[in-house]
Amino acid sequence: DGTVLKREDVEHGKGATAPNAPTREGYTFIGWDKAYNNITANTTVNAVYEINKYKVQFVDHDGTVLKTQEVEHGADATAPKDPVWAGHTFTGWIGSYTNVQKNEIVTAGYDTDSFTVQFVDWDGTVLKTQEVEYGKGATAPKAPTREGYTFKGWDKEYSNVTANTTVNAVYDI
């Protein structure tokens, strides 16, 4: 930025003494732009820096790395396409990947999908409606009764719900 770090008078042919290594946010000092060990004229020696680079990893719910990107200090990483996880809705990335200033791990965020399970009697009467999270089980209502019939159970499984489901009462006469 043009800031003078040190000014020194040096005899012709002698070397100058460098100041302590300067610091610059987001950069690493890598040296000076010219030699200063044999000064024969007025000389300006400039600090040389290299921009810091950081690793940004995008990971899925199970720790699987979806993308790794190297990003310069202050730059933005580019997220991968939205991941898909059965029974869940992607809600966005958890963590920072804009104005990156350090190594980052960014994790996919999800909401668990919920489904409606309806238990229905022989005549279409809804006995119970329940919202159930993906992969969880519904709880059946008390066994229904029907004159002249014996309740045998339900016509389908409802212990691992993965979609909206209608479960019908089954009877024997």
Side-chain angles (χ1 to χ4, degrees), residues 16-172:
T17 305
N20 290 333
T23 59
R24 179 178 175 193
E25 185 179 344
Y27 292 79
T28 300
F29 172 73
I30 59 172
W32 303 99
D33 69 343
K34 61 182 68 87
Y36 49 88
N37 59 341
N38 182 18
I39 302 298
T40 58
N42 288 336
T43 304
T44 300
V45 181
N46 295 295
V48 178
Y49 299 90
E50 183 174 83
I51 193 164
N52 293 340
K53 295 179 181 169
Y54 307 104
K55 181 171 72 170
V56 178
Q57 281 190 325
F58 292 87
V59 298
D60 208 354
H61 69 282
D62 60 359
T64 301
V65 176
L66 301 171
K67 179 181 182 181
T68 300
Q69 185 176 3
E70 187 175 79
V71 180
E72 290 185 348
H73 179 85
D76 298 343
T78 303
K81 69 177 191 161
D82 294 350
V84 176
W85 180 19
H88 299 80
T89 300
F90 177 73
T91 58
W93 296 103
I94 301 166
S96 177
Y97 60 96
T98 60
N99 190 24
V100 176
Q101 298 188 17
K102 62 184 175 79
N103 292 330
E104 297 282 354
I105 295 175
V106 183
T107 306
Y110 294 92
D111 282 339
T112 302
D113 295 340
S114 291
F115 300 98
T116 302
V117 177
Q118 282 192 328
F119 291 88
V120 179
D121 207 355
W122 65 276
D123 61 358
T125 302
V126 175
L127 301 170
K128 179 180 182 180
T129 300
Q130 183 179 5
E131 288 295 313
V132 179
E133 283 188 355
Y134 177 87
K136 302 268 171 111
T139 305
K142 180 178 85 154
T145 58
R146 179 178 177 195
E147 190 173 322
Y149 292 81
T150 302
F151 175 73
K152 295 294 282 180
W154 303 101
D155 70 342
K156 60 182 65 101
E157 180 60 39
Y158 51 88
S159 63
N160 181 20
V161 177
T162 59
N164 292 331
T165 306
T166 299
V167 183
N168 297 292
V170 177
Y171 296 91
D172 276 344

Side-chain angles (χ1 to χ4, degrees), residues 6-27:
K6 180 180 180 184
R7 188 177 303 271
E8 182 178 356
D9 290 327
V10 179
E11 287 183 34
H12 182 83
K14 300 282 183 177
T17 305
N20 290 333
T23 59
R24 179 178 175 193
E25 185 179 344
Y27 292 79

